[in-house]
Amino acid sequence: MFKAIPLTDKPEGVSMCGMSQATFAQHCFTNKWYELSANGQIIGSALDLDFYKHGSQQGPSTRSTVKTKELSKV
């Protein structure tokens, strides 16, 4: 179960990420937004939430992405 503080709107500049990196979550069924916090209320399980963090991925994050780009230049 996750604890979070309710937000009135979607935070600006957030992108989807993995659960371990998240600072925000959106409930899949209610579409409400939350800031993850140990001091908040219980909002549900990982299966009920989509996870987000500020910013987007910068550059390739995996070795396979790098290799794909190298091969596309050939």
Side-chain angles (χ1 to χ4, degrees):
M1 297 304 242
F2 283 87
K3 290 185 176 182
I5 300 167
L7 300 173
T8 55
D9 294 314
K10 175 183 178 180
E12 290 193 31
V14 296
S15 60
M16 197 170 253
C17 68
M19 178 174 49
S20 64
Q21 301 169 339
T23 52
F24 300 98
Q26 183 182 28
H27 199 280
C28 295
F29 304 116
T30 65
N31 292 326
K32 291 184 180 178
W33 283 90
Y34 298 91
E35 182 175 0
L36 299 175
S37 170
N39 299 325
Q41 64 189 28
I42 294 175
I43 59 170
S45 72
L47 298 175
D48 300 329
L49 304 169
D50 289 327
F51 297 96
Y52 295 83
K53 66 178 180 178
H54 273 294
S56 61
Q57 287 184 339
Q58 297 178 2
S61 61
T62 65
R63 182 175 165 88
S64 63
T65 302
V66 172
K67 289 295 180 189
T68 301
K69 287 185 179 184
E70 287 176 7
L71 291 172
S72 68
K73 292 178 184 177
V74 175

PDB file of all heavy atoms in Angstrom, residues 14-50:
ATOM      1  N   VAL A  14       5.994  16.248 -15.630  1.00  0.00           N
ATOM      2  CA  VAL A  14       6.223  14.901 -15.119  1.00  0.00           C
ATOM      3  C   VAL A  14       6.190  13.894 -16.261  1.00  0.00           C
ATOM      4  O   VAL A  14       5.528  14.104 -17.267  1.00  0.00           O
ATOM      5  CB  VAL A  14       5.198  14.493 -14.030  1.00  0.00           C
ATOM      6  CG1 VAL A  14       5.341  15.367 -12.810  1.00  0.00           C
ATOM      7  CG2 VAL A  14       3.780  14.531 -14.549  1.00  0.00           C
ATOM      8  N   SER A  15       6.942  12.824 -16.086  1.00  0.00           N
ATOM      9  CA  SER A  15       6.936  11.742 -17.062  1.00  0.00           C
ATOM     10  C   SER A  15       6.826  10.412 -16.327  1.00  0.00           C
ATOM     11  O   SER A  15       7.235  10.291 -15.176  1.00  0.00           O
ATOM     12  CB  SER A  15       8.209  11.777 -17.917  1.00  0.00           C
ATOM     13  OG  SER A  15       9.349  11.625 -17.111  1.00  0.00           O
ATOM     14  N   MET A  16       6.271   9.446 -17.014  1.00  0.00           N
ATOM     15  CA  MET A  16       6.067   8.133 -16.417  1.00  0.00           C
ATOM     16  C   MET A  16       7.415   7.488 -16.091  1.00  0.00           C
ATOM     17  O   MET A  16       8.390   7.690 -16.806  1.00  0.00           O
ATOM     18  CB  MET A  16       5.265   7.256 -17.372  1.00  0.00           C
ATOM     19  CG  MET A  16       4.650   6.044 -16.737  1.00  0.00           C
ATOM     20  SD  MET A  16       3.503   5.227 -17.866  1.00  0.00           S
ATOM     21  CE  MET A  16       1.977   5.683 -17.083  1.00  0.00           C
ATOM     22  N   CYS A  17       7.446   6.741 -14.992  1.00  0.00           N
ATOM     23  CA  CYS A  17       8.685   6.084 -14.577  1.00  0.00           C
ATOM     24  C   CYS A  17       8.347   4.831 -13.772  1.00  0.00           C
ATOM     25  O   CYS A  17       7.187   4.502 -13.579  1.00  0.00           O
ATOM     26  CB  CYS A  17       9.536   7.036 -13.738  1.00  0.00           C
ATOM     27  SG  CYS A  17       8.826   7.437 -12.128  1.00  0.00           S
ATOM     28  N   GLY A  18       9.357   4.197 -13.283  1.00  0.00           N
ATOM     29  CA  GLY A  18       9.178   3.021 -12.446  1.00  0.00           C
ATOM     30  C   GLY A  18       8.802   3.400 -11.022  1.00  0.00           C
ATOM     31  O   GLY A  18       9.030   4.522 -10.573  1.00  0.00           O
ATOM     32  N   MET A  19       8.236   2.468 -10.329  1.00  0.00           N
ATOM     33  CA  MET A  19       7.756   2.687  -8.970  1.00  0.00           C
ATOM     34  C   MET A  19       8.864   3.174  -8.035  1.00  0.00           C
ATOM     35  O   MET A  19       8.635   4.038  -7.204  1.00  0.00           O
ATOM     36  CB  MET A  19       7.151   1.372  -8.464  1.00  0.00           C
ATOM     37  CG  MET A  19       6.646   1.389  -7.073  1.00  0.00           C
ATOM     38  SD  MET A  19       5.806  -0.149  -6.608  1.00  0.00           S
ATOM     39  CE  MET A  19       6.919  -1.420  -7.122  1.00  0.00           C
ATOM     40  N   SER A  20      10.068   2.636  -8.164  1.00  0.00           N
ATOM     41  CA  SER A  20      11.149   2.978  -7.234  1.00  0.00           C
ATOM     42  C   SER A  20      11.674   4.398  -7.417  1.00  0.00           C
ATOM     43  O   SER A  20      12.298   4.942  -6.511  1.00  0.00           O
ATOM     44  CB  SER A  20      12.297   1.986  -7.378  1.00  0.00           C
ATOM     45  OG  SER A  20      12.854   2.071  -8.665  1.00  0.00           O
ATOM     46  N   GLN A  21      11.435   5.023  -8.570  1.00  0.00           N
ATOM     47  CA  GLN A  21      11.929   6.367  -8.846  1.00  0.00           C
ATOM     48  C   GLN A  21      10.853   7.431  -8.690  1.00  0.00           C
ATOM     49  O   GLN A  21      11.132   8.618  -8.772  1.00  0.00           O
ATOM     50  CB  GLN A  21      12.466   6.440 -10.267  1.00  0.00           C
ATOM     51  CG  GLN A  21      13.591   5.475 -10.536  1.00  0.00           C
ATOM     52  CD  GLN A  21      13.912   5.393 -12.014  1.00  0.00           C
ATOM     53  OE1 GLN A  21      13.093   5.736 -12.857  1.00  0.00           O
ATOM     54  NE2 GLN A  21      15.105   4.932 -12.332  1.00  0.00           N
ATOM     55  N   ALA A  22       9.626   7.038  -8.466  1.00  0.00           N
ATOM     56  CA  ALA A  22       8.486   7.954  -8.517  1.00  0.00           C
ATOM     57  C   ALA A  22       8.400   8.908  -7.329  1.00  0.00           C
ATOM     58  O   ALA A  22       8.747   8.561  -6.207  1.00  0.00           O
ATOM     59  CB  ALA A  22       7.196   7.148  -8.603  1.00  0.00           C
ATOM     60  N   THR A  23       7.938  10.120  -7.636  1.00  0.00           N
ATOM     61  CA  THR A  23       7.597  11.089  -6.594  1.00  0.00           C
ATOM     62  C   THR A  23       6.116  11.442  -6.656  1.00  0.00           C
ATOM     63  O   THR A  23       5.576  12.049  -5.731  1.00  0.00           O
ATOM     64  CB  THR A  23       8.438  12.376  -6.715  1.00  0.00           C
ATOM     65  OG1 THR A  23       8.332  12.867  -8.041  1.00  0.00           O
ATOM     66  CG2 THR A  23       9.889  12.103  -6.382  1.00  0.00           C
ATOM     67  N   PHE A  24       5.461  11.066  -7.771  1.00  0.00           N
ATOM     68  CA  PHE A  24       4.033  11.318  -7.963  1.00  0.00           C
ATOM     69  C   PHE A  24       3.346  10.042  -8.448  1.00  0.00           C
ATOM     70  O   PHE A  24       3.993   9.163  -9.016  1.00  0.00           O
ATOM     71  CB  PHE A  24       3.800  12.423  -9.007  1.00  0.00           C
ATOM     72  CG  PHE A  24       4.422  13.730  -8.637  1.00  0.00           C
ATOM     73  CD1 PHE A  24       5.647  14.102  -9.152  1.00  0.00           C
ATOM     74  CD2 PHE A  24       3.775  14.591  -7.762  1.00  0.00           C
ATOM     75  CE1 PHE A  24       6.231  15.310  -8.806  1.00  0.00           C
ATOM     76  CE2 PHE A  24       4.349  15.799  -7.409  1.00  0.00           C
ATOM     77  CZ  PHE A  24       5.578  16.165  -7.937  1.00  0.00           C
ATOM     78  N   ALA A  25       2.043   9.974  -8.245  1.00  0.00           N
ATOM     79  CA  ALA A  25       1.270   8.836  -8.741  1.00  0.00           C
ATOM     80  C   ALA A  25      -0.108   9.315  -9.170  1.00  0.00           C
ATOM     81  O   ALA A  25      -0.647  10.279  -8.614  1.00  0.00           O
ATOM     82  CB  ALA A  25       1.126   7.770  -7.669  1.00  0.00           C
ATOM     83  N   GLN A  26      -0.667   8.632 -10.165  1.00  0.00           N
ATOM     84  CA  GLN A  26      -2.043   8.879 -10.584  1.00  0.00           C
ATOM     85  C   GLN A  26      -2.811   7.583 -10.393  1.00  0.00           C
ATOM     86  O   GLN A  26      -2.377   6.518 -10.846  1.00  0.00           O
ATOM     87  CB  GLN A  26      -2.120   9.315 -12.039  1.00  0.00           C
ATOM     88  CG  GLN A  26      -3.541   9.639 -12.470  1.00  0.00           C
ATOM     89  CD  GLN A  26      -3.639  10.036 -13.928  1.00  0.00           C
ATOM     90  OE1 GLN A  26      -2.840   9.621 -14.753  1.00  0.00           O
ATOM     91  NE2 GLN A  26      -4.631  10.845 -14.234  1.00  0.00           N
ATOM     92  N   HIS A  27      -3.941   7.671  -9.716  1.00  0.00           N
ATOM     93  CA  HIS A  27      -4.772   6.494  -9.476  1.00  0.00           C
ATOM     94  C   HIS A  27      -5.447   6.095 -10.781  1.00  0.00           C
ATOM     95  O   HIS A  27      -6.045   6.926 -11.469  1.00  0.00           O
ATOM     96  CB  HIS A  27      -5.820   6.788  -8.400  1.00  0.00           C
ATOM     97  CG  HIS A  27      -6.390   5.556  -7.797  1.00  0.00           C
ATOM     98  ND1 HIS A  27      -7.372   4.824  -8.424  1.00  0.00           N
ATOM     99  CD2 HIS A  27      -6.110   4.910  -6.637  1.00  0.00           C
ATOM    100  CE1 HIS A  27      -7.688   3.782  -7.671  1.00  0.00           C
ATOM    101  NE2 HIS A  27      -6.931   3.810  -6.584  1.00  0.00           N
ATOM    102  N   CYS A  28      -5.336   4.841 -11.166  1.00  0.00           N
ATOM    103  CA  CYS A  28      -5.856   4.353 -12.450  1.00  0.00           C
ATOM    104  C   CYS A  28      -7.373   4.460 -12.573  1.00  0.00           C
ATOM    105  O   CYS A  28      -7.893   4.657 -13.672  1.00  0.00           O
ATOM    106  CB  CYS A  28      -5.438   2.902 -12.665  1.00  0.00           C
ATOM    107  SG  CYS A  28      -3.672   2.671 -12.821  1.00  0.00           S
ATOM    108  N   PHE A  29      -8.093   4.317 -11.480  1.00  0.00           N
ATOM    109  CA  PHE A  29      -9.555   4.283 -11.545  1.00  0.00           C
ATOM    110  C   PHE A  29     -10.191   5.653 -11.316  1.00  0.00           C
ATOM    111  O   PHE A  29     -11.206   5.970 -11.925  1.00  0.00           O
ATOM    112  CB  PHE A  29     -10.101   3.275 -10.535  1.00  0.00           C
ATOM    113  CG  PHE A  29      -9.525   1.895 -10.728  1.00  0.00           C
ATOM    114  CD1 PHE A  29      -8.753   1.313  -9.745  1.00  0.00           C
ATOM    115  CD2 PHE A  29      -9.726   1.196 -11.912  1.00  0.00           C
ATOM    116  CE1 PHE A  29      -8.196   0.053  -9.928  1.00  0.00           C
ATOM    117  CE2 PHE A  29      -9.184  -0.066 -12.106  1.00  0.00           C
ATOM    118  CZ  PHE A  29      -8.411  -0.639 -11.107  1.00  0.00           C
ATOM    119  N   THR A  30      -9.592   6.466 -10.463  1.00  0.00           N
ATOM    120  CA  THR A  30     -10.180   7.782 -10.155  1.00  0.00           C
ATOM    121  C   THR A  30      -9.512   8.916 -10.922  1.00  0.00           C
ATOM    122  O   THR A  30     -10.051  10.015 -10.964  1.00  0.00           O
ATOM    123  CB  THR A  30     -10.052   8.091  -8.654  1.00  0.00           C
ATOM    124  OG1 THR A  30      -8.668   8.213  -8.319  1.00  0.00           O
ATOM    125  CG2 THR A  30     -10.711   7.013  -7.813  1.00  0.00           C
ATOM    126  N   ASN A  31      -8.331   8.661 -11.505  1.00  0.00           N
ATOM    127  CA  ASN A  31      -7.526   9.666 -12.209  1.00  0.00           C
ATOM    128  C   ASN A  31      -7.059  10.803 -11.315  1.00  0.00           C
ATOM    129  O   ASN A  31      -6.607  11.831 -11.813  1.00  0.00           O
ATOM    130  CB  ASN A  31      -8.268  10.217 -13.433  1.00  0.00           C
ATOM    131  CG  ASN A  31      -8.435   9.177 -14.512  1.00  0.00           C
ATOM    132  OD1 ASN A  31      -7.573   8.327 -14.695  1.00  0.00           O
ATOM    133  ND2 ASN A  31      -9.550   9.221 -15.202  1.00  0.00           N
ATOM    134  N   LYS A  32      -7.131  10.637 -10.008  1.00  0.00           N
ATOM    135  CA  LYS A  32      -6.643  11.658  -9.083  1.00  0.00           C
ATOM    136  C   LYS A  32      -5.126  11.570  -8.987  1.00  0.00           C
ATOM    137  O   LYS A  32      -4.546  10.493  -9.083  1.00  0.00           O
ATOM    138  CB  LYS A  32      -7.258  11.484  -7.696  1.00  0.00           C
ATOM    139  CG  LYS A  32      -8.732  11.803  -7.663  1.00  0.00           C
ATOM    140  CD  LYS A  32      -9.275  11.703  -6.257  1.00  0.00           C
ATOM    141  CE  LYS A  32     -10.761  12.022  -6.248  1.00  0.00           C
ATOM    142  NZ  LYS A  32     -11.333  11.893  -4.911  1.00  0.00           N
ATOM    143  N   TRP A  33      -4.500  12.736  -8.774  1.00  0.00           N
ATOM    144  CA  TRP A  33      -3.050  12.834  -8.660  1.00  0.00           C
ATOM    145  C   TRP A  33      -2.627  12.949  -7.210  1.00  0.00           C
ATOM    146  O   TRP A  33      -3.318  13.572  -6.403  1.00  0.00           O
ATOM    147  CB  TRP A  33      -2.555  14.053  -9.432  1.00  0.00           C
ATOM    148  CG  TRP A  33      -2.536  13.804 -10.900  1.00  0.00           C
ATOM    149  CD1 TRP A  33      -3.550  14.039 -11.783  1.00  0.00           C
ATOM    150  CD2 TRP A  33      -1.474  13.240 -11.658  1.00  0.00           C
ATOM    151  NE1 TRP A  33      -3.180  13.656 -13.041  1.00  0.00           N
ATOM    152  CE2 TRP A  33      -1.903  13.169 -12.994  1.00  0.00           C
ATOM    153  CE3 TRP A  33      -0.194  12.801 -11.332  1.00  0.00           C
ATOM    154  CZ2 TRP A  33      -1.090  12.670 -14.009  1.00  0.00           C
ATOM    155  CZ3 TRP A  33       0.611  12.311 -12.337  1.00  0.00           C
ATOM    156  CH2 TRP A  33       0.162  12.254 -13.671  1.00  0.00           C
ATOM    157  N   TYR A  34      -1.447  12.380  -6.905  1.00  0.00           N
ATOM    158  CA  TYR A  34      -0.927  12.376  -5.539  1.00  0.00           C
ATOM    159  C   TYR A  34       0.582  12.597  -5.552  1.00  0.00           C
ATOM    160  O   TYR A  34       1.262  12.200  -6.501  1.00  0.00           O
ATOM    161  CB  TYR A  34      -1.187  11.024  -4.865  1.00  0.00           C
ATOM    162  CG  TYR A  34      -2.648  10.697  -4.723  1.00  0.00           C
ATOM    163  CD1 TYR A  34      -3.316   9.989  -5.710  1.00  0.00           C
ATOM    164  CD2 TYR A  34      -3.358  11.086  -3.592  1.00  0.00           C
ATOM    165  CE1 TYR A  34      -4.662   9.680  -5.577  1.00  0.00           C
ATOM    166  CE2 TYR A  34      -4.704  10.774  -3.454  1.00  0.00           C
ATOM    167  CZ  TYR A  34      -5.343  10.083  -4.453  1.00  0.00           C
ATOM    168  OH  TYR A  34      -6.673   9.782  -4.322  1.00  0.00           O
ATOM    169  N   GLU A  35       1.073  13.206  -4.477  1.00  0.00           N
ATOM    170  CA  GLU A  35       2.508  13.269  -4.231  1.00  0.00           C
ATOM    171  C   GLU A  35       2.820  12.198  -3.203  1.00  0.00           C
ATOM    172  O   GLU A  35       2.260  12.201  -2.103  1.00  0.00           O
ATOM    173  CB  GLU A  35       2.916  14.644  -3.710  1.00  0.00           C
ATOM    174  CG  GLU A  35       4.411  14.755  -3.495  1.00  0.00           C
ATOM    175  CD  GLU A  35       4.845  16.150  -3.097  1.00  0.00           C
ATOM    176  OE1 GLU A  35       4.001  17.053  -2.983  1.00  0.00           O
ATOM    177  OE2 GLU A  35       6.059  16.322  -2.886  1.00  0.00           O
ATOM    178  N   LEU A  36       3.679  11.276  -3.563  1.00  0.00           N
ATOM    179  CA  LEU A  36       3.993  10.173  -2.661  1.00  0.00           C
ATOM    180  C   LEU A  36       4.694  10.701  -1.412  1.00  0.00           C
ATOM    181  O   LEU A  36       5.604  11.520  -1.499  1.00  0.00           O
ATOM    182  CB  LEU A  36       4.876   9.145  -3.371  1.00  0.00           C
ATOM    183  CG  LEU A  36       4.234   8.490  -4.602  1.00  0.00           C
ATOM    184  CD1 LEU A  36       5.232   7.582  -5.296  1.00  0.00           C
ATOM    185  CD2 LEU A  36       2.981   7.738  -4.235  1.00  0.00           C
ATOM    186  N   SER A  37       4.224  10.261  -0.248  1.00  0.00           N
ATOM    187  CA  SER A  37       4.760  10.737   1.022  1.00  0.00           C
ATOM    188  C   SER A  37       4.440   9.752   2.133  1.00  0.00           C
ATOM    189  O   SER A  37       3.321   9.246   2.219  1.00  0.00           O
ATOM    190  CB  SER A  37       4.142  12.094   1.370  1.00  0.00           C
ATOM    191  OG  SER A  37       4.469  12.476   2.681  1.00  0.00           O
ATOM    192  N   ALA A  38       5.403   9.514   2.990  1.00  0.00           N
ATOM    193  CA  ALA A  38       5.186   8.614   4.131  1.00  0.00           C
ATOM    194  C   ALA A  38       4.175   9.191   5.111  1.00  0.00           C
ATOM    195  O   ALA A  38       3.577   8.464   5.899  1.00  0.00           O
ATOM    196  CB  ALA A  38       6.506   8.353   4.836  1.00  0.00           C
ATOM    197  N   ASN A  39       3.958  10.500   5.053  1.00  0.00           N
ATOM    198  CA  ASN A  39       3.033  11.171   5.971  1.00  0.00           C
ATOM    199  C   ASN A  39       1.619  11.291   5.420  1.00  0.00           C
ATOM    200  O   ASN A  39       0.750  11.875   6.075  1.00  0.00           O
ATOM    201  CB  ASN A  39       3.556  12.573   6.309  1.00  0.00           C
ATOM    202  CG  ASN A  39       4.900  12.510   6.980  1.00  0.00           C
ATOM    203  OD1 ASN A  39       5.183  11.596   7.742  1.00  0.00           O
ATOM    204  ND2 ASN A  39       5.753  13.471   6.679  1.00  0.00           N
ATOM    205  N   GLY A  40       1.369  10.768   4.236  1.00  0.00           N
ATOM    206  CA  GLY A  40       0.066  10.920   3.605  1.00  0.00           C
ATOM    207  C   GLY A  40      -0.917   9.829   3.973  1.00  0.00           C
ATOM    208  O   GLY A  40      -0.681   9.007   4.846  1.00  0.00           O
ATOM    209  N   GLN A  41      -2.038   9.836   3.254  1.00  0.00           N
ATOM    210  CA  GLN A  41      -3.082   8.835   3.451  1.00  0.00           C
ATOM    211  C   GLN A  41      -2.833   7.649   2.522  1.00  0.00           C
ATOM    212  O   GLN A  41      -2.168   7.781   1.510  1.00  0.00           O
ATOM    213  CB  GLN A  41      -4.448   9.450   3.158  1.00  0.00           C
ATOM    214  CG  GLN A  41      -4.616   9.897   1.710  1.00  0.00           C
ATOM    215  CD  GLN A  41      -5.880  10.698   1.471  1.00  0.00           C
ATOM    216  OE1 GLN A  41      -6.375  11.368   2.367  1.00  0.00           O
ATOM    217  NE2 GLN A  41      -6.401  10.629   0.268  1.00  0.00           N
ATOM    218  N   ILE A  42      -3.363   6.510   2.843  1.00  0.00           N
ATOM    219  CA  ILE A  42      -3.226   5.320   2.001  1.00  0.00           C
ATOM    220  C   ILE A  42      -4.086   5.509   0.753  1.00  0.00           C
ATOM    221  O   ILE A  42      -5.269   5.833   0.839  1.00  0.00           O
ATOM    222  CB  ILE A  42      -3.654   4.049   2.762  1.00  0.00           C
ATOM    223  CG1 ILE A  42      -2.675   3.791   3.909  1.00  0.00           C
ATOM    224  CG2 ILE A  42      -3.701   2.849   1.822  1.00  0.00           C
ATOM    225  CD1 ILE A  42      -3.057   2.629   4.808  1.00  0.00           C
ATOM    226  N   ILE A  43      -3.452   5.335  -0.428  1.00  0.00           N
ATOM    227  CA  ILE A  43      -4.177   5.557  -1.686  1.00  0.00           C
ATOM    228  C   ILE A  43      -4.357   4.298  -2.508  1.00  0.00           C
ATOM    229  O   ILE A  43      -5.088   4.303  -3.493  1.00  0.00           O
ATOM    230  CB  ILE A  43      -3.490   6.639  -2.542  1.00  0.00           C
ATOM    231  CG1 ILE A  43      -2.051   6.245  -2.884  1.00  0.00           C
ATOM    232  CG2 ILE A  43      -3.543   7.974  -1.843  1.00  0.00           C
ATOM    233  CD1 ILE A  43      -1.396   7.136  -3.917  1.00  0.00           C
ATOM    234  N   GLY A  44      -3.691   3.205  -2.161  1.00  0.00           N
ATOM    235  CA  GLY A  44      -3.879   1.964  -2.898  1.00  0.00           C
ATOM    236  C   GLY A  44      -2.582   1.207  -3.088  1.00  0.00           C
ATOM    237  O   GLY A  44      -1.535   1.581  -2.577  1.00  0.00           O
ATOM    238  N   SER A  45      -2.683   0.147  -3.873  1.00  0.00           N
ATOM    239  CA  SER A  45      -1.521  -0.700  -4.138  1.00  0.00           C
ATOM    240  C   SER A  45      -0.873  -0.295  -5.460  1.00  0.00           C
ATOM    241  O   SER A  45      -1.424   0.503  -6.222  1.00  0.00           O
ATOM    242  CB  SER A  45      -1.943  -2.164  -4.196  1.00  0.00           C
ATOM    243  OG  SER A  45      -2.661  -2.403  -5.392  1.00  0.00           O
ATOM    244  N   ALA A  46       0.278  -0.862  -5.760  1.00  0.00           N
ATOM    245  CA  ALA A  46       0.993  -0.574  -6.999  1.00  0.00           C
ATOM    246  C   ALA A  46       0.160  -0.905  -8.233  1.00  0.00           C
ATOM    247  O   ALA A  46       0.294  -0.260  -9.268  1.00  0.00           O
ATOM    248  CB  ALA A  46       2.305  -1.346  -7.029  1.00  0.00           C
ATOM    249  N   LEU A  47      -0.726  -1.875  -8.122  1.00  0.00           N
ATOM    250  CA  LEU A  47      -1.574  -2.250  -9.260  1.00  0.00           C
ATOM    251  C   LEU A  47      -2.614  -1.184  -9.573  1.00  0.00           C
ATOM    252  O   LEU A  47      -3.137  -1.133 -10.685  1.00  0.00           O
ATOM    253  CB  LEU A  47      -2.273  -3.577  -8.974  1.00  0.00           C
ATOM    254  CG  LEU A  47      -1.340  -4.772  -8.786  1.00  0.00           C
ATOM    255  CD1 LEU A  47      -2.159  -5.996  -8.384  1.00  0.00           C
ATOM    256  CD2 LEU A  47      -0.553  -5.050 -10.040  1.00  0.00           C
ATOM    257  N   ASP A  48      -2.918  -0.313  -8.609  1.00  0.00           N
ATOM    258  CA  ASP A  48      -3.926   0.730  -8.785  1.00  0.00           C
ATOM    259  C   ASP A  48      -3.336   2.048  -9.280  1.00  0.00           C
ATOM    260  O   ASP A  48      -4.083   2.995  -9.546  1.00  0.00           O
ATOM    261  CB  ASP A  48      -4.639   1.026  -7.454  1.00  0.00           C
ATOM    262  CG  ASP A  48      -5.337  -0.189  -6.884  1.00  0.00           C
ATOM    263  OD1 ASP A  48      -5.793  -1.041  -7.673  1.00  0.00           O
ATOM    264  OD2 ASP A  48      -5.422  -0.286  -5.645  1.00  0.00           O
ATOM    265  N   LEU A  49      -2.008   2.131  -9.400  1.00  0.00           N
ATOM    266  CA  LEU A  49      -1.363   3.417  -9.636  1.00  0.00           C
ATOM    267  C   LEU A  49      -0.440   3.402 -10.848  1.00  0.00           C
ATOM    268  O   LEU A  49       0.159   2.378 -11.172  1.00  0.00           O
ATOM    269  CB  LEU A  49      -0.529   3.803  -8.404  1.00  0.00           C
ATOM    270  CG  LEU A  49      -1.275   3.853  -7.071  1.00  0.00           C
ATOM    271  CD1 LEU A  49      -0.282   3.966  -5.925  1.00  0.00           C
ATOM    272  CD2 LEU A  49      -2.246   5.022  -7.054  1.00  0.00           C
ATOM    273  N   ASP A  50      -0.342   4.573 -11.495  1.00  0.00           N
ATOM    274  CA  ASP A  50       0.696   4.829 -12.489  1.00  0.00           C
ATOM    275  C   ASP A  50       1.678   5.784 -11.831  1.00  0.00           C
ATOM    276  O   ASP A  50       1.269   6.726 -11.146  1.00  0.00           O
ATOM    277  CB  ASP A  50       0.104   5.476 -13.748  1.00  0.00           C
ATOM    278  CG  ASP A  50      -0.734   4.508 -14.557  1.00  0.00           C
ATOM    279  OD1 ASP A  50      -0.403   3.305 -14.581  1.00  0.00           O
ATOM    280  OD2 ASP A  50      -1.713   4.951 -15.172  1.00  0.00           O
TER     281      ASP A  50
END
